[in-house]
Amino acid sequence: MSSSTRSGCTRAAVSSADAPSSPPRAPDDAPSVQLLTPPPSEAPNPLAPAVTPQPRAAAPADLHQHNGLFIHADVGVAYLRTRGSKGGSPFTGKGAALGGAVAVGWTPDDAWALAVEVWGWKALSASGLGSNTSVELQGLGLNVTRHLAPIDVFASVVLSGTRLAITDSGDDVEHASSDIGFGLKVLLGKEWRVDPAIGIGLAAEMFLSVNRAGGETLDTVGGGLVFSFTYR
């Protein structure tokens, strides 16, 4: 081998030894892998109890829910007195009476009811106008009822148009009648539920009527006790 060749190889070896070597790759230079994690606000909390939807509680079977229709009926006994005059001669009829009523209407809620009511009372004693005649009070009016649901107490006011009829005591044949007058009926009672929509009860009743017949004024007042039936 010539001297020039050996010197070239020597220079190449020296150059290769003197060249800076690439430093080893640090672990931090390794390709990073980013993990997708939810933000802190959305991170599940392992200590929080699981929330499960609760089923809607069913209404108690005996909880009354009004359905709009209102029906009321009552029947009972009372004391009735009618006073007036005929042909300038005063007369008075008084004594026991039998009566009843039926009302049909609407309940906007569980507390109130509005209805049309037919009611009447028939005296069992003589009218004072004859031994075989009796007085019958007939009414048609607007029933306004207030019901206190927690204790099942009710109060009713019936503003009415009324008339007095003179009938036979036995066969109810009408002999005479008054003009249409003003009447008022008031009930205050207590009911007991036999069904969420049906109640039976007991009530005190007062009523009055003012009528005209033949230019004379007839006034009737009374009060009694009635058994009631209500659907609402």
Side-chain angles (χ1 to χ4, degrees):
M1 178 179 296
S2 65
S3 60
S4 60
T5 302
R6 284 196 301 269
S7 63
C9 290
T10 302
R11 285 194 303 269
V14 171
S15 298
S16 176
D18 294 340
S21 60
S22 299
R25 177 171 292 182
D28 292 342
D29 293 339
S32 61
V33 177
Q34 295 183 354
L35 298 179
L36 297 178
T37 59
S41 60
E42 300 179 4
N45 184 357
L47 299 180
V51 178
T52 58
Q54 298 295 326
R56 183 185 295 271
D62 59 348
L63 180 62
H64 174 56
Q65 298 291 331
H66 73 282
N67 61 6
L69 179 63
F70 173 79
I71 300 174
H72 174 88
D74 58 64
V75 60
V77 295
Y79 171 83
L80 181 148
R81 189 208 69 190
T82 300
R83 184 173 57 188
S85 63
K86 182 178 181 181
S89 299
F91 74 92
T92 300
K94 57 185 177 181
L98 295 177
V102 175
V104 179
W106 173 68
T107 58
D109 53 39
D110 283 339
W112 292 95
L114 299 174
V116 175
E117 178 170 327
V118 178
W119 60 279
W121 289 95
K122 181 176 176 61
L124 300 179
S125 58
S127 66
L129 299 174
S131 59
N132 294 320
T133 61
S134 63
V135 172
E136 184 174 338
L137 176 61
Q138 305 162 350
L140 173 65
L142 174 65
N143 177 311
V144 180
T145 295
R146 177 72 166 92
H147 186 261
L148 301 179
I151 56 178
D152 280 330
V153 169
F154 70 95
S156 298
V157 175
V158 186
L159 301 175
S160 307
T162 57
R163 69 190 288 264
L164 282 175
I166 305 300
T167 63
D168 281 342
S169 299
D171 55 15
D172 293 334
V173 175
E174 186 174 308
H175 296 292
S177 64
S178 71
D179 296 337
I180 301 298
F182 170 77
L184 178 68
K185 171 184 169 182
V186 179
L187 276 174
L188 179 62
K190 161 71 177 172
E191 289 184 333
W192 293 268
R193 291 282 152 195
V194 297
D195 181 87
I198 297 175
I200 57 174
L202 190 64
E205 177 174 332
M206 297 184 64
F207 55 90
L208 63 86
S209 176
V210 179
N211 303 89
R212 297 279 292 176
E216 304 288 344
T217 300
L218 306 173
D219 61 83
T220 304
V221 295
L225 195 64
V226 298
F227 297 94
S228 67
F229 166 88
T230 304
Y231 176 87
R232 56 194 304 280

